[in-house]
Amino acid sequence: MKTCILVGSHRVESESSRVASYIEQRLKAISGTETVVVSLAGNPLPLWDEGVWADEPKWATAWKPIARQLAESDAVVVVSPEWSGMAPAGLKNFFLLCGNDVLAHKPGLIVAVSAALGGSYPVAELRMSSYKNTRLCYIPEHVIVRNVGRMLKGDSPADEHDASLRSRIDYSLKLLLEYAKGLAAVRASGVVDFKQFPYGM
């Protein structure tokens, strides 16, 4: 089994990247699953344009390697900071590039990151708009890392809130992996029909 961890922050050194590293460490400790981290730091992807459909050279270089990693993955963890009450533009752009050939009928776990007590808006935004054509199936659980600057640092929890968060992350990751097993059967069932129904409603 392979899990892709998507870091949605544009910043080169971000708290989202640190949280993603912690999640990768926990996935390996929990199950030994193979992981791949896709980071949007530094905006590696151009803004979407129709050239992606024509397989223009810039897209073959920038997107194809990422698409291949996504296609090979069985589950996805989306780590999104909250910027002005929104998911970052680069993360939204990422989902515009995802056709149903890379994420469809795979489980996704949303992990929102906030410097203070926010973090709920990216969860709502991603659940509302990033699944329609990608067919990514967000699991009912999600994680919000509030006060991220003092969370998930070191081997031991800093306080009861940090301990509770670590426990929640482990629980959510275990659920994600079980959903991955179940949804593999859906993808293999022969019921999925992208020819007749290429787009979601």
Side-chain angles (χ1 to χ4, degrees), residues 6-161:
L6 172 63
V7 185
S9 177
H10 309 180
R11 295 175 60 202
V12 175
E13 293 186 22
S14 68
E15 291 284 16
S16 296
S17 294
R18 184 175 65 78
V19 169
S21 294
Y22 177 85
I23 288 170
E24 182 177 32
Q25 168 199 336
R26 294 309 302 154
L27 274 169
K28 290 178 177 177
I30 289 167
S31 71
T33 183
E34 182 182 354
T35 58
V36 60
V37 177
V38 172
S39 176
L40 302 183
N43 287 311
L45 296 170
L47 287 178
W48 180 93
D49 64 46
E50 59 273 11
V52 72
W53 295 335
D55 207 20
E56 289 181 356
K58 72 173 180 181
W59 292 112
T61 301
W63 178 243
K64 289 292 184 183
I66 294 173
R68 184 167 46 253
Q69 290 176 328
L70 294 171
E72 293 171 355
S73 296
D74 302 287
V76 181
V77 179
V78 180
V79 183
S80 174
E82 182 176 272
W83 288 356
S84 297
M86 297 180 285
L91 182 55
K92 299 291 283 186
N93 184 57
F94 171 89
F95 283 112
L96 288 175
L97 295 170
C98 290
N100 54 33
D101 57 332
V102 293
L103 294 178
H105 304 290
K106 296 179 182 180
L109 170 66
I110 298 171
V111 179
V113 176
S114 174
L117 297 177
S120 61
Y121 288 109
V123 175
E125 184 177 356
L126 291 170
R127 286 192 185 280
M128 180 178 68
S129 65
S130 63
Y131 77 95
K132 176 184 169 287
N133 286 350
T134 66
R135 301 321 213 287
L136 179 61
C137 298
Y138 287 119
I139 68 172
E141 291 294 324
H142 61 259
V143 175
I144 301 178
V145 183
R146 295 185 167 108
N147 295 307
V148 66
R150 61 183 178 84
M151 297 295 189
L152 310 176
K153 292 186 171 179
D155 295 330
S156 301
D159 55 28
E160 62 182 307
H161 301 293

